[in-house]
Amino acid sequence: MAIDISKFSRPDMHNDIAAVLVNEATIAARVHELGAAISREYAGKDLLLISVLKGSVVFMADLVRAITVPHEIDFMATSSYGSGTSSTGVVRILKDLSISIEGRNVVVVEDIIDSGHTLHYLLRLLRDRNPATLRVMTLLDKPDRREVDIPVDWVGFSIPNEFVVGYGLDYNEIYRNLPYIGVLSPSVYSAE
Ligand code: IMP
Ligand code: MG
């Protein structure tokens, strides 16, 4: 029996990418450096990594395997109201941590810091729970877009003011599975 493949194949997601900003090998090398930095910093100490869902999941999964010291992980989900390509500055907690962070050495693992509103809110909330230390690692930083000043301890890559997807980052929940970080073609969102 002949199978009509067109019924199963979807348009190639790579076609929606205008340019690859950070390729797989460059990401892997940087994630190993970041893992080594964490391992040096927390050798012999308590460590709890908090991944902010959903964007940082792919980064987190690679990062923990690049860390050589014992540590715990937990997850939290936040959302800014509205979807699309810009943050509104209003943040909701969709899922809270499952453990107490009091007295712990906490590192928040983020996918990207844009305006900084999401992280600003989150750090205030976590600080109120009295961790011993609270630090921030982000895979990507868009410094030109910052609206609130926040301390960031480790940055994977500083990138220009472009909307990017892949390696966990989405546009309307799609493209998280791309193995590289790419600039989304403006034709994708201008078509909507
Ligand atoms: P902020 O509150 O403006 O710093 O926004 C942070 C959140 O906005 C990130 O955690 C992402 O979910 C989203 N975001 C910001 N810039 C991008 C981007 O270029 N691609 C995908 N998501 C982004
Ligand atoms: Mg995020």
Side-chain angles (χ1 to χ4, degrees):
M1 187 177 76
I3 294 181
D4 181 2
I5 197 166
S6 67
K7 285 191 180 142
F8 301 98
S9 62
R10 297 181 50 173
D12 191 336
M13 299 171 71
H14 299 282
N15 293 338
D16 296 340
I17 303 304
V20 174
L21 201 58
V22 193
N23 67 31
E24 287 179 71
T26 309
I27 295 171
R30 188 71 184 120
V31 169
H32 272 83
E33 288 175 358
L34 293 170
I38 293 259
S39 303
R40 276 195 303 274
E41 189 74 24
Y42 293 93
K45 295 180 187 160
D46 161 67
L47 173 60
L48 169 64
L49 300 180
I50 296 178
S51 160
V52 185
L53 296 170
K54 306 172 197 166
S56 72
V57 156
V58 177
F59 173 42
M60 180 79 160
D62 285 342
L63 179 67
V64 294
R65 286 174 289 176
I67 295 175
T68 54
V69 298
H71 61 277
E72 244 184 281
I73 64 172
D74 202 359
F75 297 88
M76 214 169 166
T78 62
S79 170
S80 38
Y81 285 104
S83 60
T85 59
S86 66
S87 167
T88 55
V90 183
V91 178
R92 283 183 300 162
I93 297 289
L94 300 180
K95 182 215 172 293
D96 207 337
L97 297 171
S98 54
I99 55 170
S100 164
I101 60 167
E102 189 168 354
R104 308 288 311 265
N105 290 325
V106 173
V107 176
V108 174
V109 177
E110 263 286 17
D111 54 351
I112 186 165
I113 305 174
D114 188 34
S115 71
H117 287 294
T118 308
L119 194 58
H120 179 76
Y121 174 87
L122 197 66
L123 289 177
R124 213 173 45 197
L125 184 130
L126 294 176
R127 222 173 268 123
D128 285 346
R129 299 180 183 182
N130 298 317
T133 61
L134 180 60
R135 299 177 80 180
V136 176
M137 175 175 282
T138 187
L139 176 67
L140 302 174
D141 185 18
K142 283 188 199 170
D144 296 346
R145 298 259 305 170
R146 196 74 88 255
E147 289 171 16
V148 285
D149 198 25
I150 35 167
V152 184
D153 301 278
W154 297 277
V155 174
F157 303 97
S158 271
I159 64 167
N161 181 16
E162 301 273 7
F163 194 81
V164 294
V165 294
Y167 199 70
L169 289 108
D170 73 303
Y171 171 67
N172 286 350
E173 299 299 327
I174 308 296
Y175 304 106
R176 295 190 196 276
N177 58 315
L178 290 177
Y180 51 78
I181 294 157
V183 178
L184 188 64
S185 173
S187 64
V188 175
Y189 43 87
S190 61
E192 290 189 357

